[in-house]
Amino acid sequence: MYDTNTQSTALSPMVRALAALIAVMALASLAAQFIASQTLHPEENTFATLWRLGRFFTILTNSLVVVTFAVLVVRAQVLSPVWLGGVTLWIAIVGVVYHLLLAATDSQETTIGWWANFGVHTSVPIAVVLWWLAFAPRNGLSVTSALMWMIWPMIYVSYALLRGQTDGVYPYFFTNPTEIGWDGVIIWTAILAGFFFVAGLLQIALARLIRQT
């Protein structure tokens, strides 16, 4: 186990194994999502399916989880507290937003689609949060960290807008200027940034509370 009160950065075999499990869970969920998508869209080739799935924040953030936890396993050392905290925040928000706003209206047409959905929106977010709470370094997190954690969602919004401008497809209503206008996009982007910032502050407060107990 990693002790956040020491200078050691090595991961124990157990912690590495759990990190590997999370990487495999996320990768398997993404693979299931790919298979489910091709089942519903058999006319698509591999590249077309990857390109379509690659427009969604959920898919891209789960991909970040795969890469991050794979690096943890290979290096056998912890990564930056800011980066690990950010990945945890981003994937946690994927799960929270889905279950609060989207789950009730999201019906899966295939069994593998249900499992893929459960993986990317539920099991992976929960596993990452639990790993972060138990093993991740949380020293040095500050308001600056919360500001830095806004970068990924803002990069995503810019990316989604750019893709939408080229092919006319926008993954979410708040990135769709044809539906809500550019003023609406700006307002919703500000709301999104504020939401991530506040959530980041709450995460930092939780980290400090845990460190003191």
Side-chain angles (χ1 to χ4, degrees):
M1 183 182 299
Y2 175 77
D3 184 353
T4 58
N5 293 318
T6 72
Q7 298 301 313
S8 174
T9 62
L11 295 177
S12 71
M14 181 193 72
V15 177
R16 287 181 71 192
L18 291 173
L21 177 61
I22 291 174
V24 170
M25 285 173 56
L27 185 60
S29 298
L30 290 170
Q33 190 73 67
F34 175 84
I35 295 171
S37 181
Q38 286 216 313
T39 300
L40 295 176
H41 303 276
E43 74 284 357
E44 290 185 345
N45 59 31
T46 298
F47 176 79
T49 299
L50 290 173
W51 180 246
R52 184 166 52 78
L53 291 176
R55 73 174 71 250
F56 295 101
F57 185 79
T58 295
I59 300 299
L60 296 176
T61 304
N62 272 269
S63 299
L64 286 180
V65 169
V66 173
V67 173
T68 297
F69 280 82
V71 170
L72 283 169
V73 174
V74 171
R75 290 185 56 186
Q77 292 182 332
V78 296
L79 304 178
S80 160
V82 174
W83 177 255
L84 287 174
V87 171
T88 301
L89 175 68
W90 303 328
I91 196 65
I93 287 180
V94 164
V96 169
V97 170
Y98 174 79
H99 285 285
L100 287 181
L101 302 178
L102 303 175
T105 60
D106 187 14
S107 59
Q108 294 298 318
E109 299 182 19
T110 63
T111 301
I112 194 169
W114 186 92
W115 280 108
N117 210 33
F118 178 77
V120 297
H121 292 117
T122 305
S123 63
V124 172
I126 289 174
V128 171
V129 169
L130 291 177
W131 192 95
W132 181 79
L133 288 171
F135 308 117
R138 296 179 293 272
N139 52 300
L141 298 179
S142 65
V143 174
T144 301
S145 304
L147 290 171
M148 293 177 65
W149 292 340
M150 295 164 58
I151 294 176
W152 167 236
M154 294 303 98
I155 288 175
Y156 171 76
V157 169
S158 300
Y159 159 76
L161 288 171
L162 180 61
R163 281 194 58 166
Q165 289 294 294
T166 59
D167 60 17
V169 179
Y170 298 91
Y172 306 106
F173 79 91
F174 56 83
T175 62
N176 190 345
T178 63
E179 181 178 335
I180 62 175
W182 284 104
D183 288 347
V185 169
I186 293 172
I187 291 171
W188 273 102
T189 299
I191 292 172
L192 180 68
F195 176 71
F196 273 88
F197 180 64
V198 171
L201 292 178
L202 292 175
Q203 181 178 348
I204 291 167
L206 176 60
R208 292 178 177 177
L209 179 63
I210 293 174
R211 193 163 63 241
Q212 293 171 359
T213 58

